[in-house]
């Protein structure tokens, strides 16, 4: 939420079953994140996703830890089966697990590289009719026909909890404005990567990096993003 506020978006974090449909009515995009998960929350996410699908609003899914447990893998499959997800943003291991590729994932951290997921991602994107945004040392965005690589970021980013989830949320904000999911996702990741690089150059460690990241997101101008892309 702080990342979205810093870059000018207006987030609402909601998971109550009796309000999510109404909240979706107000929103320009819906981000579904399975980072904290119960069966009830999965049902509520699907309810919100169905409403967003009815209204034609973009849905961005973060399959946190998919492949690590059956609950998480099944939750993602259920969401994809019952809603129309525009963008899935995950690390390489999470994306490979959705493609049915066996990984050694034991938690939310990637054990595979983005390069290992390139071919499977293109096939999976076409099968699901969605755009995949795979983040790592170098990011990949593909819809199975168009593919873009995004370099940037900083080595401190994986040491701060929530940077991946923040990247997903940023894609939601950008996709609310740009209806092309590939361009929206790639632009959001480029924006986030430049901010991360700026923050990393100023930070002494993970703690100060968090503060500098918010400041960098707040002060980063569109012109600088354009000049560096």
């Amino acid at each position: 939420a702080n990342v979205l506020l810093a870059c000018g978006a207006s987030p609402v974090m909601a998971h109550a079953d009796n309000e999510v449909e109404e909240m979706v009515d107000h929103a320009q995009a819906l981000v579904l994140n399975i980072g904290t998960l119960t069966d009830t929350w999965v049902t509520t996410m699907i309810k919100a996703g169905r409403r967003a699908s009815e209204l034609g609003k973009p849905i961005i899914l973060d399959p946190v830890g998919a492949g690590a447990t059956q609950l998480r893998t099944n939750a993602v499959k259920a969401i994809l089966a019952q809603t129309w997800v525009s963008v899935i943003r995950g690390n390489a291991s999470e994306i490979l697990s959705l493609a049915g590729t066996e990984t050694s994932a034991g938690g939310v951290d990637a054990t595979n590289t983005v390069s290992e997921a390139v071919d499977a991602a293109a096939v999976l994107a076409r099968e699901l009719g969605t755009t995949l945004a795979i983040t790592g040392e170098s990011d990949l965005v593909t819809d199975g026909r168009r593919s873009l690589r995004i370099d940037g970021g900083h080595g401190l980013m994986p040491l701060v909890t929530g940077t991946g989830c923040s990247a997903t949320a940023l894609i939601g904000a950008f996709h609310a404005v740009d209806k092309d999911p590939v361009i929206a996702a790639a632009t959001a990741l480029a924006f986030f990567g430049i901010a991360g690089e700026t923050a990393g150059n100023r930070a002494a460690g993970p703690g100060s990096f968090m503060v500098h990241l918010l400041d960098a997101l707040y002060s980063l101008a569109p012109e600088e993003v354009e000049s560096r892309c």
Side-chain angles (χ1 to χ4, degrees):
N2 284 335
V3 164
L4 290 175
L5 287 169
C7 71
S10 180
V12 175
M13 318 287 269
H15 58 262
D17 182 76
N18 56 350
E19 76 163 1
V20 289
E21 289 180 313
E22 187 176 359
M23 197 63 76
V24 168
D25 291 346
H26 299 305
Q28 291 176 280
L30 172 66
V31 175
L32 300 176
N33 184 306
I34 68 167
T36 53
L37 200 60
T38 65
D39 289 331
T40 300
W41 278 32
V42 174
T43 302
T44 301
M45 288 182 190
I46 292 172
K47 185 175 182 179
R50 284 175 172 170
R51 182 60 177 165
S53 298
E54 290 172 3
L55 297 174
K57 296 185 178 183
I59 301 172
I60 299 84
L61 173 63
D62 193 324
V64 181
T69 68
Q70 204 62 47
L71 172 63
R72 292 177 180 276
T73 303
N74 288 343
V76 174
K77 290 180 178 178
I79 291 169
L80 292 174
Q82 299 181 63
T83 69
W84 183 76
V85 172
S86 182
V87 179
I88 302 172
R89 198 295 311 170
N91 63 43
S93 296
E94 291 161 348
I95 297 302
L96 284 171
S97 75
L98 300 184
T101 302
E102 187 172 340
T103 72
S104 57
V108 300
D109 296 324
T111 56
N112 301 90
T113 65
V114 173
S115 297
E116 292 177 273
V118 171
D119 293 337
V123 174
L124 181 63
R126 289 193 296 269
E127 289 179 351
L128 297 177
T130 192
T131 293
L132 300 178
I134 312 174
T135 50
E137 289 188 10
S138 179
D139 303 333
L140 171 71
V141 176
T142 182
D143 63 357
R145 300 179 303 279
R146 296 173 293 167
S147 295
L148 297 172
R149 294 295 291 258
I150 303 97
D151 296 318
H154 193 274
L156 285 173
M157 295 180 84
L159 301 182
V160 177
T161 298
T163 49
C165 299
S166 295
T168 305
L170 274 179
I171 292 173
F174 277 66
H175 200 1
V177 177
D178 189 336
K179 300 310 177 184
D180 185 325
V182 172
I183 301 303
T187 307
L189 293 178
F191 180 85
F192 198 46
I194 293 170
E197 182 180 332
T198 301
N201 291 337
R202 297 171 180 170
S208 57
F209 177 83
M210 293 173 62
V211 176
H212 286 300
L213 179 61
L214 292 177
D215 288 345
L217 289 165
Y218 177 76
S219 60
L220 183 56
E223 293 77 17
E224 182 177 357
V225 178
E226 288 184 19
S227 69
R228 296 182 60 177
C229 290

